[in-house]
């Protein structure tokens, strides 16, 4: 998947060696294409996440760009949504909660009964600062457990 300057490559299989081989071949082809077309892939900005809901841990893949290994991380942000390795979306929901609470504090200040904004203006601020953030990516993180979404 490619969107502007964010690229995501994925592979699904039960054999980690086959996944590693497929991903490394794909990364090598991407690097070669980038070199031919005047682009670069930054290994320091790259990361690898192994998505698996099973409890038994399998070895992490070893993928490299040139001589630099791509680090395996437990969560990654792609197009504004945080994906964790178990696909619980808990880190993303917590991030949304923190950002929304800050915006809600702004609304509380603006809704002062003596000098605050009117109801229509407050609703517009709510839609712009909070609702838009919650709506973005809800199709993806909406599959999280009900307890996480609460």
């Amino acid at each position: 998947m490619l969107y502007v300057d964010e690229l995501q490559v994925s592979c699904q299989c039960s054999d980690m060696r086959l996944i590693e081989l497929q991903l490394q071949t794909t990364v090598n082809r991407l690097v070669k294409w980038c070199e031919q077309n005047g682009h670069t892939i930054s290994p320091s900005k790259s990361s690898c996440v192994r998505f698996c809901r099973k409890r038994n841990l399998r070895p992490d893949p070893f993928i490299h760009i040139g001589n630099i290994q791509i680090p395996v991380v437990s969560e990654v942000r792609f197009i504004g949504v945080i994906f964790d390795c178990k696909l619980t979306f808990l880190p993303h929901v917590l991030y949304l909660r923190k950002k929304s609470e800050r915006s809600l504090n702004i609304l509380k200040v603006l809704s002062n009964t003596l000098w605050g904004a009117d109801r229509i203006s407050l609703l517009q601020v709510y839609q712009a600062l909070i609702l838009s953030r919650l709506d973005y990516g809800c199709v993806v993180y909406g599959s999280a457990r009900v307890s996480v979404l609460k």
Side-chain angles (χ1 to χ4, degrees), residues 5 31 34 39-47 65 68-71:
D5 64 344
V31 169
C34 286
H39 301 285
T40 58
I41 296 178
S42 174
S44 63
K45 294 181 180 179
S46 302
S47 60
I65 297 175
I68 302 172
Q69 181 181 357
I70 299 174

Side-chain angles (χ1 to χ4, degrees), residues 39-144:
H39 301 285
T40 58
I41 296 178
S42 174
S44 63
K45 294 181 180 179
S46 302
S47 60
C48 178
V49 179
R50 182 178 46 93
F51 297 108
C52 183
R53 292 185 178 177
K54 294 182 180 179
R55 291 179 187 232
N56 58 345
L57 297 175
R58 296 177 181 183
D60 290 330
F62 179 78
I63 311 295
H64 57 87
I65 297 175
N67 294 331
I68 302 172
Q69 181 181 357
I70 299 174
V72 178
V73 295
S74 62
E75 60 187 47
V76 67
R77 175 175 284 190
F78 182 67
I79 312 177
V81 178
I82 301 171
F83 292 87
D84 59 302
C85 62
K86 298 285 185 186
L87 294 175
T88 64
F89 294 103
L90 182 61
H92 182 72
V93 171
L94 292 175
Y95 170 78
L96 283 178
R97 180 178 174 178
K98 182 179 177 184
K99 291 296 248 181
S100 296
E101 285 175 347
R102 287 182 186 166
S103 299
L104 195 57
N105 288 337
I106 293 171
L107 272 177
K108 287 177 184 178
V109 170
L110 291 175
S111 64
N112 189 312
T113 55
L114 298 175
W115 56 268
D118 64 332
R119 186 175 183 200
I120 294 172
S121 299
L122 289 173
L123 187 58
Q124 289 175 338
V125 171
Y126 166 76
Q127 289 172 342
L129 294 180
I130 298 173
L131 192 59
S132 63
R133 194 174 279 133
L134 296 177
D135 281 345
Y136 181 78
C138 68
V139 173
V140 177
Y141 73 84
S143 64

Side-chain angles (χ1 to χ4, degrees), residues 7-24:
L7 172 68
Q8 181 260 333
V9 178
S10 63
C11 183
Q12 178 181 347
C13 185
S14 59
D15 184 9
M16 186 57 75
R17 290 175 297 189
L18 184 59
I19 290 174
E20 188 175 311
L21 179 66
Q22 287 288 89
L23 289 176
Q24 187 59 59

